[in-house]
Amino acid sequence: MKQIIECVPNFSEGRDRAVIDAITAEIEKGGEVSLLDVDPGEATNRTVVTFVGEPEAVCEAAFRGIRKAAELIDMRNHHGAHPRMGATDVCPLIPVSGITLEECAELARKLAKRVSDELGIPTYCYEAAAFTPERKNLAVCRAGEYEALPEKMNHEGKGPDFGDRPYDEDAARTGATTIGARDFLIAVNYNLNTTSTRRANAIAFDVREKGRPMREGGKVTGKPMKDADGNVVMIPGTLKGTKAIGWFIDEYGIAQVSMNITNMRETPLHKAFDEVCAKAAARGVRVTGAEIVGLVPKSALIDAGKHYLRMQQRSLGIPEEEIIRIAVKSMGLDDLKPFKPEEKVIEYMLEAGKEKTRKLTDMTLTAFADETSSESPAPGGGSISAYMGALGAALGTMVANLSAHKAGWDDRWEEFSDAAEKGRHIQDRLIALVDEDTEAFNRIMDVFAMPKGTPEEKAARSAALQDATLYATQVPLRTIKTSFEAFDLLEEMARKGNPASVSDVGVGALAARSAVFGAWLNVKINAAGLKDREKADAILAEAEKIADEAAKRETEILKLVNDTIAK
């Protein structure tokens, strides 16, 4: 698996587009990383940049961005609403695939040392890259912000991990940078119907994990209470894995609670939103919506959408796009400006950054049919079989969704929602097999283009052909197995689903049976080319057994359908 990491540097410039563009141009130089998002904030005077790529390329791009920021941003002139310490205030490395958090931490330490050695920028290491437990917390590294650097540098226990020295003009200009490694973080601001920063802060203290100081007499004006060791006693907030503050945003004319969710497993996005709403309401304030800063994982929006669908007692077995739309509307993510999933969801941005290959499943129905009828041998029967299976599962899912919303069946919504979710899962896998079957055919065609001039080349070509043929046999076998799964859903809907839609169940059964038998034909013709006859016979036997069972299931379901229609 290719190693991919994400980097989300925060630069202390959110107003001068020329400076922002110059920094991002340095990051993109060479084309080895994908720039996913540039999110400037005028009130915060800060820009959050997100890019991904292989570890070495990402670290080089980060170094270039930090270097350019140091050239163009003079911290002596910087003012903004967000806490900050340097031209590049913070630069986290985040594992995406094929790499661990610990490996990212080591990369972060190396990058921090290089930034200090080559650029002369004082550098702290935080989160997983921290050298001491207390510096895992970014707030500890950034304590006192930029203005505190003269007191912190060259003081034991307070100075940077790399580049510690007496405070000088170079440090005054660039400030200090904090580099680290962390898991994915969601930055979200909650919009309030108030202009009071004090009330926004009170709500932030109610929910953030750190909480607020315990005060004498329980009064806001009371002195903070301390324990026997002289440490301030804190009253924890209600949300684990969160950091939050309140501020006023001139750009919008409202106060916000600004939150970082550092542990999505402990505190999902929707849980944080609901809790901020509850604490705000208790203080006479209303949350009008929220804004995502930077990018968000698709799973966070899917989980949120499903959470709000459950609250409405609505089926969860609907398309991904609809679930995300529910999440956006439920949390008011489009309150201040349009929320475009294709520009805010990291998986969608990664997909958009890849080289585009034409997918059959992206075509219109007419174009797909035209492509099938053309002189090209692909798509062929294997892809069509997978698509028929997907349609069979889709019809079962449709009946489940209609049943979940049927008047008078409100107490059964969850039963049908569970069935619809299973159907969506089957449908999605079969849709993927539409293109995979064509890819399997193309692999065989690629083998025929291999050289065969020498004995070695002939041997390599023969081995590659066997591998490609085995793959082309296994793909339709997966179509058989996956299409067969649709029969359980279809039978359940024939027995328990909305009787008015029972004919749709029957069509679904016909489609699923045709998918199984069509894919079986593909298994047989491709297995004929396998030299390993023991493996070929095992695949053929498995396929034939499922096909025989599929014929029986189709007959049983059609009887149920016709009996219901006859009533």
Side-chain angles (χ1 to χ4, degrees):
M1 180 186 294
K2 182 183 290 187
Q3 290 186 321
I4 299 292
I5 65 174
E6 180 186 56
C7 185
V8 190
N10 290 209
F11 299 105
S12 295
E13 177 55 68
R15 300 164 185 167
D16 190 332
R17 193 72 213 195
V19 171
I20 297 168
D21 290 345
I23 293 170
T24 56
E26 281 295 306
I27 289 171
E28 288 189 285
K29 187 181 290 183
E32 293 184 345
V33 300
S34 296
L35 186 66
L36 299 183
D37 190 55
V38 180
D39 194 350
E42 184 173 338
T44 57
N45 199 11
R46 183 183 187 87
T47 296
V48 180
V49 177
T50 306
F51 59 94
V52 296
E54 295 185 43
E56 184 178 348
V58 166
C59 289
E60 282 296 324
F63 180 81
R64 292 194 302 269
I66 293 169
R67 181 177 60 199
K68 182 57 69 172
E71 293 174 8
L72 300 179
I73 300 171
D74 189 336
M75 288 303 295
R76 291 171 293 192
N77 303 319
H78 182 272
H79 299 283
H82 198 287
R84 80 284 182 265
M85 189 166 59
T88 301
D89 184 57
V90 62
C91 182
L93 303 180
I94 302 155
V96 174
S97 65
I99 190 169
T100 65
L101 181 61
E102 291 72 22
E103 289 172 312
C104 282
E106 188 57 34
L107 290 170
R109 294 188 185 112
K110 290 178 180 177
L111 177 59
K113 184 176 187 304
R114 184 182 176 195
V115 165
S116 172
D117 291 348
E118 298 185 28
L119 304 179
I121 299 174
T123 308
Y124 291 80
C125 291
Y126 83 115
E127 288 276 3
F131 290 100
T132 59
E134 59 271 15
R135 287 195 175 177
K136 287 181 178 293
N137 189 336
L138 175 60
V140 171
C141 298
R142 198 164 54 192
E145 300 184 44
Y146 169 76
E147 288 75 15
L149 283 178
E151 301 170 7
K152 292 166 64 176
M153 289 184 65
N154 205 36
H155 285 75
E156 187 175 351
K158 295 184 178 180
D161 295 297
F162 298 102
D164 195 14
R165 62 183 188 273
Y167 188 72
D168 53 26
E169 282 301 304
D170 287 340
R173 182 175 52 79
T174 66
T177 292
T178 308
I179 298 176
R182 61 166 173 78
D183 285 322
F184 204 97
L185 173 152
I186 299 178
V188 56
N189 298 330
Y190 303 96
N191 312 322
L192 307 177
N193 68 332
T194 182
T195 59
S196 172
T197 302
R198 185 165 66 85
R199 285 171 175 76
N201 261 317
I203 297 165
F205 294 166
D206 287 340
V207 298
R208 69 182 187 181
E209 182 173 12
K210 181 181 178 181
R212 56 162 49 83
M214 183 180 292
R215 297 184 180 275
E216 292 179 357
K219 298 181 179 179
V220 175
T221 56
K223 292 182 179 180
M225 297 177 64
K226 297 183 179 181
D227 60 20
D229 296 324
N231 300 312
V232 174
V233 178
M234 303 296 292
I235 303 172
T238 54
L239 295 175
K240 297 285 188 181
T242 64
K243 302 173 184 179
I245 60 171
W247 59 27
F248 178 79
I249 300 296
D250 287 321
E251 182 181 355
Y252 304 135
I254 58 170
Q256 291 182 324
V257 172
S258 178
M259 177 182 288
N260 283 344
I261 302 174
T262 59
N263 188 332
M264 294 185 296
R265 294 179 295 277
E266 192 76 43
T267 300
L269 179 61
H270 58 272
K271 178 180 178 181
F273 179 83
D274 290 350
E275 184 66 6
V276 172
C277 287
K279 296 303 183 185
R283 294 181 177 275
V285 177
R286 193 170 75 85
V287 176
T288 63
E291 63 170 347
I292 299 292
V293 181
L295 300 182
V296 62
K298 182 172 66 176
S299 62
L301 295 180
I302 294 293
D303 290 346
K306 289 184 175 181
H307 165 72
Y308 294 112
L309 284 167
R310 288 190 190 95
M311 292 180 67
Q312 299 170 26
Q313 297 190 345
R314 298 294 301 271
S315 174
L316 313 185
I318 59 177
E320 178 178 285
E321 294 79 5
E322 293 183 32
I323 295 174
I324 289 176
R325 190 180 304 117
I326 290 291
V328 170
K329 290 300 180 183
S330 299
M331 295 183 290
L333 297 180
D334 54 359
D335 180 30
L336 299 177
K337 52 190 174 184
F339 183 91
K340 300 178 180 179
E342 67 274 14
E343 296 177 2
K344 299 295 288 184
V345 177
I346 186 168
E347 288 86 349
Y348 295 163
M349 293 294 291
L350 281 169
E351 189 64 30
K354 294 178 181 177
E355 182 180 346
K356 285 293 183 181
T357 56
R358 188 178 66 158
K359 294 174 65 175
L360 295 170
T361 49
D362 289 336
M363 293 180 174
T364 65
L365 290 174
T366 300
F368 185 72
D370 286 345
E371 182 69 16
T372 303
S373 65
S374 71
E375 294 180 350
S376 170
S383 292
I384 300 301
S385 296
Y387 192 55
M388 284 193 294
L391 291 176
L395 283 166
T397 303
M398 180 192 79
V399 176
N401 279 322
L402 289 171
S403 302
H405 303 153
K406 179 175 168 57
W409 287 16
D410 292 344
D411 59 337
R412 301 180 64 189
W413 77 269
E414 196 165 10
E415 169 193 351
F416 290 114
S417 174
D418 289 344
E421 279 199 280
K422 292 175 186 174
R424 282 294 315 182
H425 185 54
I426 296 168
Q427 176 185 330
D428 290 344
R429 285 185 289 147
L430 285 164
I431 286 293
L433 282 164
V434 171
D435 280 294
E436 191 171 356
D437 192 271
T438 295
E439 169 61 22
F441 174 80
N442 290 336
R443 286 193 189 186
I444 292 178
M445 293 298 99
D446 290 342
V447 172
F448 292 140
M450 292 176 64
K452 51 182 179 179
T454 67
E456 291 78 11
E457 288 175 344
K458 289 179 180 178
R461 188 174 185 269
S462 177
L465 181 59
Q466 285 302 300
D467 288 342
T469 302
L470 177 60
Y471 178 64
T473 307
Q474 291 171 331
V475 170
L477 179 61
R478 292 216 312 274
T479 297
I480 291 172
K481 292 178 177 179
T482 310
S483 298
F484 187 79
E485 290 179 32
F487 285 115
D488 286 341
L489 169 67
L490 292 162
E491 181 175 343
E492 183 181 0
M493 291 305 101
R495 293 183 183 279
K496 303 178 182 178
N498 188 340
S501 301
V502 73
S503 61
D504 299 303
V505 174
V507 176
L510 291 167
R513 188 260 191 192
S514 295
V516 170
F517 272 72
W520 183 27
L521 293 175
N522 268 54
V523 167
K524 287 192 283 188
I525 196 168
N526 291 330
L530 289 174
K531 293 180 180 179
D532 186 340
R533 295 317 303 167
E534 183 177 347
K535 183 173 292 185
D537 290 343
I539 292 173
L540 287 167
E542 184 178 10
E544 184 174 9
K545 182 179 179 181
I546 298 173
D548 288 344
E549 186 63 27
K552 295 176 185 175
R553 296 296 299 276
E554 177 201 40
T555 299
E556 292 167 358
I557 292 170
L558 287 177
K559 184 178 186 307
L560 289 170
V561 169
N562 284 309
D563 288 348
T564 301
I565 292 174
K567 288 179 181 178

